[in-house]
Amino acid sequence: MLGITTYRVQRQLSLCLVAIVAFLIFASQGSATDRKTIGVIMTGDIPYYAKMHRAFTAKLSREGYGNVEILLQKPYPDLISWSNAARKLVAVDVDIIVTYGASATIAAINEKTNIPVVYAGVHHPAAIGITGKNTTGSVAKVPTSSLFRYLKGITSISNLGVLYSELEKDCMKEVEELEALSRELGFKIVKINIKRPEDAKKIKTAGRLDALFLTSSASVNMALDPILDIARANRLPTASLLKGENNSGVIVTLSTSPEEQGELAAEKVIKILRGAHVGAISSSTGKDIELIFNLRENMSMGFKIPMDLVTEATKIVQ
Amino acid sequence: MFDKKKFIFNLIVLAFIFTPLRISAKQDVLQEEILIGLIPEQNIFKQMDRYRPLASYLSEKSGVRIRLTILSRYGDIVERFVSRGMDGAFFDSLTGVMAVTKLGVEPVARPVNLDGTSTVRSYIFVRADSRINSVSDMKGKRIVFVDRATATGYLFVIAFLQEKGISDINKYFGEYFFTGSHDSAIYSVLDNRADIGSAQSTIFNMLVSKDPTIRKELHIIAQSEEFPETTLCLRKNISSDIKNRITDILLHMNQDPAGKEVLKKFGALKFIRAEVKDFNPVFNLAKRARVDIRGYKGER
């Protein structure tokens, strides 16, 4: 009697053990196939990209993809760092590479892998070679001429300081657009190459300037604080193509919404995760353009109130 | 961040508190007074800057104190003309038609622009780099209007689209919105805040004359027939003496050196006599857009 009971218990325990092992095997196989990894390259530590990334991850979570693993790379804005960041993501074989800004996107494309690349916050993708069957993304086009027009409403401009980085192709297109505008309108462009925050000092030795135009360069935006200190000290109004913090100190900003850019990138990533081929997903252009006027900064620097800006601005900082 | 509307409202209030004082201080010997309304063709600050010298000149020459008031928006303009006790207004073509039809106001005079015309057109425009070349390219895009109560900033577009088979803008466009002024509609497209816009030709050309790069950046897809320029209309029971004095001064101010200076600031060569029949093209446009002027309020 005792022998039969022991046999039954042993048999039941064996069956349970087999069931547990089988469950663990299937469960581990399931997670290995279901849990995706997304590599993200976010240049530097600038608020525009940080906002974009927050919107990107929030959208993924809302759509039920909060469990994807995100490997975030924050390279310094130089060619080697961008390349290293992209190479690391390829080495760990992420499922999708998401890039914020043109330079990070170019670095990812240059790796020539089959990993889909989804970009956000790129101003002129076609003009700088961001194309290909393995690439899609959201375009953040803002007319530089419009921003210059508003800046001109604050003060008359004969000499415009243009802050850019020669390493960043997207901002070089903006410089080209400003050069074309300067030829038409008869003002002078003073180009100031910013590779690191210390380069902001170059503004002081650039000769006579009437205003500063900050391109979408990551290097320029990483050097924002020293740039604005010099602008204030020399009473130079500033204009930027990238939205920063709520009161960054830039007087006029015309920028695509980073939140919208992040969400558009997330929508494309979700399509890929659901099985769509990246080549079948067309790129889209951001619709939410923000015109921000910092009245407080404008008044503290003693400039007139430009009524066009006051009436047109989507946000006024007071 | 703060309440932008409240800020602009405060600026307007300040502007209006001080404006009449300046004029009345100069004109304190004047006994008669009339109130003239201005439509918000451009942003209200520019609009006041444009009309203030003209009001001062008319006051001085006629002996009638002219007070100006901005109608903050086009819609309900006819009702507000009555409720605010206005004696006249510079109406655009559609509000002019509405005021003539509903209130029987009398058109008095309208300006001749610097290019010799006394008419305006509606332009439908896009950014030149937008790749929008036809109505079919506009599907799903963002369109900006000035106000439902404008011929050049709304009604022409509706008529144009209906003739192309588009009867419901809600379904055809991804988004549409109203800016309240013509210059703002133009800036919205320039800034890429909208894909397609419509506005009055004179305001469009005025911005282009100040900044020629705008002409290269915008592509005009369609333009309307000619409608009368902004027209001064006076209420029907205003004293004929005042009406005649004001009309006479406006029609002859181009022969007076001081008047010429005022016209220069206003951006016109002279004023010409206006009549109800000038508005016939607008009545036709309303028919094309299937709008009954008598019942039309132009509300957003």
Side-chain angles (χ1 to χ4, degrees):
Chain A
M1 191 68 180
L2 184 67
I4 292 168
T5 308
T6 308
Y7 169 74
R8 279 185 183 161
V9 170
Q10 279 179 340
R11 203 178 71 165
Q12 282 173 352
L13 280 173
S14 299
L15 284 171
C16 281
L17 196 64
V18 169
I20 289 167
V21 170
F23 172 77
L24 287 173
I25 290 168
F26 283 117
S28 67
Q29 280 182 342
S31 67
T33 51
D34 289 340
R35 189 149 193 231
K36 301 286 186 183
T37 307
I38 298 171
V40 176
I41 308 178
M42 178 167 80
T43 307
D45 194 14
I46 62 174
Y48 183 77
Y49 293 149
K51 285 178 184 181
M52 199 181 283
H53 186 60
R54 277 198 295 275
F56 172 74
T57 52
K59 174 87 176 174
L60 287 183
S61 293
R62 282 200 305 275
E63 299 293 324
Y65 291 89
N67 64 335
V68 294
E69 188 181 358
I70 291 182
L71 292 180
L72 180 61
Q73 297 287 302
K74 286 185 174 180
Y76 198 78
D78 64 57
L79 296 174
I80 293 171
S81 300
W82 281 313
S83 178
N84 283 343
R87 207 157 287 166
K88 276 183 202 166
L89 296 178
V90 172
V92 297
D93 197 23
V94 296
D95 296 288
I96 302 167
I97 297 177
V98 173
T99 53
Y100 304 145
S103 302
T105 311
I106 291 168
I109 291 171
N110 286 347
E111 289 305 309
K112 300 190 187 337
T113 73
N114 291 325
I115 301 171
V117 176
V118 176
Y119 61 82
V122 178
H123 286 64
H124 310 84
I128 57 174
I130 295 179
T131 52
K133 289 177 184 173
N134 215 27
T135 307
T136 188
S138 54
V139 183
K141 181 147 179 59
V142 178
T144 49
S145 53
S146 279
L147 182 56
F148 176 74
R149 204 168 282 127
Y150 291 120
L151 184 59
K152 209 171 54 168
I154 295 169
T155 189
S156 59
I157 297 173
S158 304
N159 296 284
L160 178 69
V162 177
L163 308 184
Y164 72 107
S165 164
E166 64 184 5
L167 300 176
E168 300 178 50
K169 285 187 178 177
D170 223 9
C171 78
M172 293 309 291
K173 293 303 294 178
E174 291 152 16
V175 174
E176 282 175 25
E177 288 170 359
L178 284 167
E179 283 174 329
L181 206 59
S182 75
R183 286 191 292 274
E184 279 189 61
L185 296 177
F187 65 94
K188 193 181 159 198
I189 292 263
V190 181
K191 293 195 282 183
I192 302 167
N193 189 12
I194 306 282
K195 288 184 185 171
R196 54 190 74 81
E198 305 85 82
D199 289 342
K201 289 176 195 159
K202 291 179 185 175
I203 299 168
K204 293 181 192 171
T205 55
R208 196 198 139 211
L209 298 175
D210 301 306
L212 294 177
F213 193 106
L214 283 64
T215 61
S216 64
S217 152
S219 300
V220 169
N221 283 276
M222 279 183 75
L224 191 61
D225 287 343
I227 289 169
L228 290 177
D229 287 344
I230 295 167
R232 288 187 190 106
N234 292 278
R235 209 172 158 264
L236 296 171
T238 47
S240 173
L241 286 168
L242 287 194
K243 178 186 174 185
E245 295 297 354
N246 283 343
N247 183 18
S248 66
V250 174
I251 290 186
V252 53
T253 303
L254 185 66
S255 166
T256 47
S257 154
E259 291 83 3
E260 185 193 32
Q261 287 290 307
E263 291 196 355
L264 287 171
E267 282 171 16
K268 290 168 180 25
V269 164
I270 289 166
K271 283 182 185 170
I272 296 167
L273 291 174
R274 287 177 179 162
H277 187 267
V278 63
I281 304 168
S282 54
S283 62
S284 49
T285 303
K287 306 278 187 198
D288 189 0
I289 311 276
E290 297 179 44
L291 176 61
I292 303 161
F293 175 48
N294 192 325
L295 179 67
R296 187 200 298 177
E297 195 76 25
N298 187 70
M299 287 176 79
S300 74
M301 288 173 81
F303 293 112
K304 65 180 178 185
I305 298 175
M307 284 307 167
D308 283 344
L309 248 177
V310 171
T311 51
E312 294 304 315
T314 55
K315 278 180 191 164
I316 292 178
V317 181
Q318 197 186 36
Chain B
M1 301 297 164
F2 82 121
D3 187 339
K4 191 181 129 187
K5 282 184 181 168
K6 196 173 171 186
F7 172 73
I8 294 174
F9 176 78
N10 288 338
L11 281 178
I12 297 166
V13 169
L14 282 172
F16 278 82
I17 287 170
F18 291 110
T19 303
L21 285 176
R22 281 175 55 194
I23 293 173
S24 61
K26 282 184 185 174
Q27 311 290 335
D28 54 3
V29 292
L30 303 176
Q31 297 301 309
E32 296 163 302
E33 179 178 292
I34 62 170
L35 181 63
I36 300 290
L38 304 177
I39 49 167
E41 275 179 304
Q42 307 179 78
N43 84 51
I44 53 174
F45 305 101
K46 285 185 191 169
Q47 194 74 335
M48 281 304 278
D49 281 349
R50 186 180 184 211
Y51 280 88
R52 207 176 275 143
L54 182 67
S56 297
Y57 179 80
L58 285 174
S59 296
E60 194 181 318
K61 292 287 178 183
S62 66
V64 179
R65 185 179 297 152
I66 311 281
R67 284 199 302 128
L68 297 177
T69 180
I70 292 253
L71 297 155
S72 59
R73 52 180 289 257
Y74 287 84
D76 286 341
I77 219 157
V78 173
E79 286 76 6
R80 280 179 294 137
F81 184 90
V82 177
S83 66
R84 285 207 207 165
M86 281 183 233
D87 300 290
F90 279 90
F91 288 112
D92 82 325
S93 53
L94 182 55
T95 49
V97 161
M98 288 159 70
V100 166
T101 308
K102 295 180 183 182
L103 303 176
V105 298
E106 291 179 38
V108 170
R110 64 178 204 264
V112 174
N113 300 317
L114 297 176
D115 64 1
T117 63
S118 188
T119 53
V120 297
R121 291 176 190 271
S122 168
Y123 288 163
I124 300 174
F125 49 86
V126 296
R127 278 194 62 84
D129 57 7
S130 71
R131 296 182 188 169
I132 297 173
N133 295 304
S134 64
V135 172
S136 58
D137 296 334
M138 295 179 188
K139 193 173 168 83
K141 301 281 196 270
R142 301 161 297 169
I143 186 165
V144 57
F145 300 109
V146 177
D147 195 293
R148 281 194 207 274
T150 59
T152 52
Y154 179 74
L155 204 58
F156 168 66
V157 187
I158 298 303
F160 175 79
L161 290 170
Q162 277 184 343
E163 284 161 3
K164 303 281 181 188
I166 314 297
S167 56
D168 188 349
I169 56 170
N170 286 294
K171 287 181 184 164
Y172 197 71
F173 294 100
E175 183 189 343
Y176 70 87
F177 61 97
F178 298 91
T179 57
S181 70
H182 294 269
D183 55 350
S184 195
I186 295 164
Y187 286 127
S188 293
V189 176
L190 279 169
D191 295 357
N192 218 8
R193 286 179 277 142
D195 300 302
I196 307 136
S198 62
Q200 187 170 301
S201 57
T202 45
I203 305 297
F204 187 98
N205 295 335
M206 195 185 291
L207 292 184
V208 167
S209 69
K210 287 179 188 165
D211 184 349
T213 58
I214 290 175
R215 189 67 193 86
K216 284 186 181 175
E217 284 182 52
L218 296 179
H219 170 53
I220 296 169
I221 280 191
Q223 56 179 297
S224 70
E225 60 275 45
E226 292 180 335
F227 306 124
E229 234 316 349
T230 305
T231 303
L232 176 62
C233 299
L234 297 175
R235 64 180 165 83
K236 60 183 174 188
N237 49 357
I238 198 168
S239 95
S240 56
D241 174 46
I242 289 178
K243 188 177 89 177
N244 291 339
R245 264 188 280 168
I246 287 173
T247 307
D248 194 53
I249 293 162
L250 283 170
L251 297 181
H252 296 99
M253 65 188 288
N254 61 314
Q255 293 157 18
D256 169 25
K260 273 186 177 176
E261 273 304 305
V262 172
L263 283 167
K264 197 175 164 187
K265 286 178 191 165
F266 189 80
L269 295 173
K270 60 180 179 178
F271 275 85
I272 58 171
R273 192 176 291 280
E275 297 174 83
V276 172
K277 69 175 185 187
D278 298 342
F279 291 101
N280 285 347
V282 191
F283 284 108
N284 294 336
L285 178 71
K287 279 182 198 161
R288 283 169 55 200
R290 296 171 199 168
V291 163
D292 173 17
I293 291 292
R294 286 204 171 271
Y296 193 63
K297 287 191 173 181
E299 288 173 337
R300 290 182 197 174

